[in-house]
Protein backbone atom coordinates (compact mmCIF):
# COMPACT_ATOMS: atom_id res chain seq x y z
CA UNK A 1 0.00 0.00 0.00
CA UNK A 2 1.00 3.61 -0.56
CA UNK A 3 0.19 6.74 1.44
CA UNK A 4 -3.13 8.20 0.34
CA UNK A 5 -3.00 10.72 -2.49
CA UNK A 6 -6.28 12.64 -2.06
CA UNK A 7 -6.56 13.58 -5.73
CA UNK A 8 -6.13 10.01 -6.98
CA UNK A 9 -8.49 8.56 -4.37
CA UNK A 10 -11.13 11.19 -5.20
CA UNK A 11 -10.85 10.32 -8.90
CA UNK A 12 -11.42 6.63 -8.08
CA UNK A 13 -14.38 7.45 -5.81
CA UNK A 14 -15.92 9.55 -8.58
CA UNK A 15 -15.36 6.74 -11.11
CA UNK A 16 -17.28 4.24 -8.96
CA UNK A 17 -20.25 6.50 -8.13
CA UNK A 18 -23.56 5.12 -9.37
CA UNK A 19 -22.32 1.52 -9.66
CA UNK A 20 -23.48 -1.40 -7.58
CA UNK A 21 -20.53 -2.23 -5.35
CA UNK A 22 -19.55 -4.44 -2.47
CA UNK A 23 -18.10 -2.85 0.63
CA UNK A 24 -15.84 -4.19 3.33
CA UNK A 25 -15.58 -2.08 6.49
CA UNK A 26 -13.60 -3.25 9.48
CA UNK A 27 -12.31 -1.48 12.56
CA UNK A 28 -10.32 -2.87 15.42
CA UNK A 29 -8.45 -1.80 18.48
CA UNK A 30 -9.05 -4.68 20.85
CA UNK A 31 -6.41 -7.02 19.50
CA UNK A 32 -3.78 -4.38 20.17
CA UNK A 33 -5.03 -2.81 23.39
CA UNK A 34 -7.18 -5.11 25.51
CA UNK A 35 -4.45 -7.60 26.40
CA UNK A 36 -2.26 -4.79 27.79
CA UNK A 37 -4.96 -3.03 29.78
CA UNK A 38 -7.90 -5.07 31.05
CA UNK A 39 -9.80 -1.83 31.79
CA UNK A 40 -9.63 -0.73 28.14
CA UNK A 41 -13.02 -0.56 26.42
CA UNK A 42 -12.53 -2.41 23.14
CA UNK A 43 -14.73 -1.70 20.11
CA UNK A 44 -14.79 -3.01 16.57
CA UNK A 45 -16.82 -3.36 13.39
CA UNK A 46 -16.86 -6.02 10.68
CA UNK A 47 -19.04 -5.69 7.58
CA UNK A 48 -18.20 -7.69 4.47
CA UNK A 49 -19.85 -7.90 1.04
CA UNK A 50 -22.69 -5.52 1.81
CA UNK A 51 -24.02 -4.12 -1.45
CA UNK A 52 -24.12 -0.37 -1.88
CA UNK A 53 -24.67 2.16 -4.62
CA UNK A 54 -23.58 5.68 -3.75
CA UNK A 55 -24.65 8.96 -5.31
CA UNK A 56 -21.43 10.80 -4.52
CA UNK A 57 -18.36 10.38 -2.40
CA UNK A 58 -15.68 12.61 -0.96
CA UNK A 59 -12.33 12.24 0.73
CA UNK A 60 -11.50 14.99 3.22
CA UNK A 61 -9.04 15.94 5.92
CA UNK A 62 -5.33 16.64 6.07
CA UNK A 63 -4.47 13.02 6.94
CA UNK A 64 -5.43 10.70 8.35
CA UNK A 65 -8.33 11.04 5.95
CA UNK A 66 -12.10 10.61 6.04
CA UNK A 67 -14.25 9.16 3.27
CA UNK A 68 -17.99 9.66 3.10
CA UNK A 69 -20.25 8.02 0.55
CA UNK A 70 -23.76 9.41 0.12
CA UNK A 71 -26.17 6.52 -0.36
CA UNK A 72 -29.76 6.92 -1.53
CA UNK A 73 -31.02 6.51 2.03
CA UNK A 74 -28.08 7.60 4.17
CA UNK A 75 -24.31 7.63 4.44
CA UNK A 76 -21.34 5.28 4.72
CA UNK A 77 -18.43 6.94 6.49
CA UNK A 78 -14.91 5.95 7.55
CA UNK A 79 -12.12 7.95 9.15
CA UNK A 80 -8.53 7.38 10.13
CA UNK A 81 -7.44 6.27 6.65
CA UNK A 82 -3.74 6.54 5.82
CA UNK A 83 -2.91 4.17 2.94
CA UNK A 84 -4.46 2.81 -0.23
CA UNK A 85 -4.08 0.77 -3.39
CA UNK A 86 -6.10 -0.57 -6.28
CA UNK A 87 -5.34 -4.28 -6.61
CA UNK A 88 -5.23 -6.55 -9.68
CA UNK A 89 -9.00 -7.14 -9.36
CA UNK A 90 -9.71 -3.37 -9.48
CA UNK A 91 -10.68 -3.44 -5.79
CA UNK A 92 -10.08 -0.16 -3.96
CA UNK A 93 -8.37 -0.98 -0.69
CA UNK A 94 -8.04 1.78 1.90
CA UNK A 95 -6.60 1.28 5.36
CA UNK A 96 -5.70 3.23 8.44
CA UNK A 97 -2.58 2.26 10.32
CA UNK A 98 -1.58 3.57 13.74
CA UNK A 99 1.88 5.08 14.36
CA UNK A 100 3.23 1.57 15.04
CA UNK A 101 1.94 0.31 11.66
CA UNK A 102 -0.94 -1.74 13.10
CA UNK A 103 -4.21 -1.88 11.18
CA UNK A 104 -7.00 0.14 12.82
CA UNK A 105 -9.49 0.44 9.94
CA UNK A 106 -10.07 -1.11 6.52
CA UNK A 107 -12.52 0.39 4.01
CA UNK A 108 -12.71 -1.40 0.68
CA UNK A 109 -14.87 -1.17 -2.44
CA UNK A 110 -15.25 -3.72 -5.22
CA UNK A 111 -17.48 -4.39 -8.21
CA UNK A 112 -17.27 -8.11 -7.35
CA UNK A 113 -17.75 -9.74 -3.96
CA UNK A 114 -14.69 -10.01 -1.73
CA UNK A 115 -13.41 -13.50 -0.98
CA UNK A 116 -15.16 -15.04 2.00
Amino acid sequence: MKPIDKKLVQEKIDELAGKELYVHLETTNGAYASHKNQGFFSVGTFLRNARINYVQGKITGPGPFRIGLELEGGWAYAEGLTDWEVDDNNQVLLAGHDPDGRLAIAFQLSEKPFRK
Side-chain angles (χ1 to χ4, degrees), residues 4-19 21 54-60 66-70 81 84 86 92 94 107 109:
I4 285 177
D5 178 318
K6 276 176 67 170
K7 182 180 181 293
L8 294 177
V9 172
Q10 185 63 59
E11 288 173 2
K12 194 63 176 177
I13 291 170
D14 292 344
E15 177 186 315
L16 295 173
K19 295 182 178 182
L21 302 171
Y54 60 90
V55 178
Q56 67 171 331
K58 187 160 282 249
I59 183 168
T60 62
R66 296 177 299 280
I67 289 183
L69 304 177
E70 182 184 2
L81 300 165
W84 87 300
V86 177
V92 181
L94 297 122
F107 188 66
L109 299 168

Side-chain angles (χ1 to χ4, degrees), residues 40-115:
F40 185 81
F41 182 67
S42 178
V43 298
T45 300
F46 185 86
L47 176 71
R48 189 158 181 88
N49 286 328
R51 288 185 284 183
I52 64 168
N53 186 328
Y54 60 90
V55 178
Q56 67 171 331
K58 187 160 282 249
I59 183 168
T60 62
F65 300 94
R66 296 177 299 280
I67 289 183
L69 304 177
E70 182 184 2
L71 311 173
E72 290 184 28
W75 285 84
Y77 176 87
E79 67 177 290
L81 300 165
T82 57
D83 303 286
W84 87 300
E85 70 182 23
V86 177
D87 73 6
D88 294 337
N89 296 315
N90 201 33
Q91 295 175 325
V92 181
L93 312 174
L94 297 122
H97 297 95
D98 73 9
D100 294 325
R102 297 175 299 201
L103 181 67
I105 184 167
F107 188 66
Q108 304 171 347
L109 299 168
S110 176
E111 293 184 64
K112 297 179 181 173
F114 293 98
R115 290 187 312 244

